[in-house]
Amino acid sequence: MSTTTPTVVLVHGAFADAASWSGVIEELQRHDIPVIAPPNPLRGLASDAAYVASVAAQIDGPVVLVGHSYGGALITVAGTTENVVGLVYVAAYVLEEGESLGELQGRFPLSPLVSNLKQWTYPVADGDPAVEVTIAADAFPSVFAADVSADVTKVLAVAQRPLAAAAFEETASAAAWKTKPSWALVAGADTAINPEVERFGAQRAGATVVEIEGASHAVAVSQPKQVAELIREAVRATT
């Protein structure tokens, strides 16, 4: 517990950027909660988590880390940073130490996301090009954001941030939820991550769980008030 209000650090996931938190940021700012939404490099679990940890470590005072989707895997590792006092998972992967996204996902029926990934390559400093993935643009609305208006999803589909394919195989070097309190929002109609994956990870972590029936993977875009309310609960509990 701290005497100052924690700063909320919002970590976006794959196929999105920090703007996906806009509605949530607005809600938190209305309640005078300090908030920052840094860019997620999306290049690999270890390097991305190290980046998030470095952002958190440079903030004066306590931090509540919030991760959407793949961002959940990152806050699981980065959350071991000393000034992190709580973790909030939003339609997210909650990994165990030594577990990869592929392993956790593989325990449950695969979501429609998996068969709708488009592969690209990108240059790396040494060696052959690496592979990154996006969601096929025509499948993006139904897979990622079924409860968001068609006009918005058409824009989001072409503005995707790709995820390095290697991120699916990297294992988490730590599980901060073992020592830090956690909260989780399960998107009940998620077709990007099987909701069972979200439920299983949240329960294993002993998180305080809220489930929104009918919510898509893009729940932070479609239902920012409910997402912000859970974050505010975490902030209140850690202040």
Side-chain angles (χ1 to χ4, degrees):
M1 302 287 269
S2 64
T3 50
T4 48
T5 303
T7 297
V8 172
V9 176
L10 301 170
V11 182
H12 68 81
F15 323 125
D17 62 22
S20 59
W21 291 113
S22 298
V24 174
I25 292 169
E26 210 177 315
E27 283 295 314
L28 295 174
Q29 288 178 335
R30 267 193 336 112
H31 291 91
D32 298 321
I33 293 170
V35 57
I36 174 175
N40 176 351
L42 301 176
R43 296 294 79 164
L45 184 52
S47 62
D48 294 344
Y51 179 77
V52 172
S54 77
V55 170
Q58 292 174 74
I59 292 170
D60 284 337
V63 166
V64 168
L65 286 180
V66 181
H68 173 249
S69 190
Y70 166 67
L74 304 185
I75 70 168
T76 296
V77 177
T80 56
T81 307
E82 203 178 329
N83 62 329
V84 172
V85 293
L87 308 165
V88 182
Y89 295 93
V90 178
Y93 293 105
V94 188
L95 295 182
E96 169 62 282
E97 190 175 343
E99 185 176 56
S100 70
L101 296 174
E103 276 176 306
L104 174 56
Q105 224 166 228
R107 297 176 182 199
F108 301 91
L110 293 177
S111 71
L113 170 80
V114 182
S115 56
N116 285 291
L117 291 176
K118 180 173 162 53
Q119 289 200 351
W120 308 73
T121 60
Y122 64 97
V124 286
D126 44 354
D128 296 326
V131 175
E132 61 184 12
V133 291
T134 57
I135 301 170
D138 59 345
F140 184 90
S142 65
V143 167
F144 197 88
D147 57 353
V148 178
S149 78
D151 287 350
V152 173
T153 55
K154 268 163 55 178
V155 173
L156 297 178
V158 297
Q160 289 180 63
R161 293 271 313 280
L163 174 66
F168 289 102
E169 303 312 320
E170 274 187 75
T171 59
S173 59
W177 47 259
K178 291 183 173 174
T179 54
K180 314 268 170 106
S182 60
W183 289 259
L185 186 148
V186 173
D190 200 331
T191 51
I193 300 177
N194 183 337
E196 287 296 332
V197 172
E198 298 171 19
R199 282 184 205 110
F200 171 80
Q203 282 161 3
R204 180 172 62 180
T208 300
V209 183
V210 168
E211 182 153 346
I212 301 184
E213 232 178 290
S216 79
H217 193 59
V219 62
V221 177
S222 63
Q223 316 221 29
K225 277 190 164 64
Q226 285 91 323
V227 173
E229 181 47 50
L230 184 64
I231 296 168
R232 286 173 55 216
E233 190 182 313
V235 167
R236 285 192 294 265
T238 52
T239 301

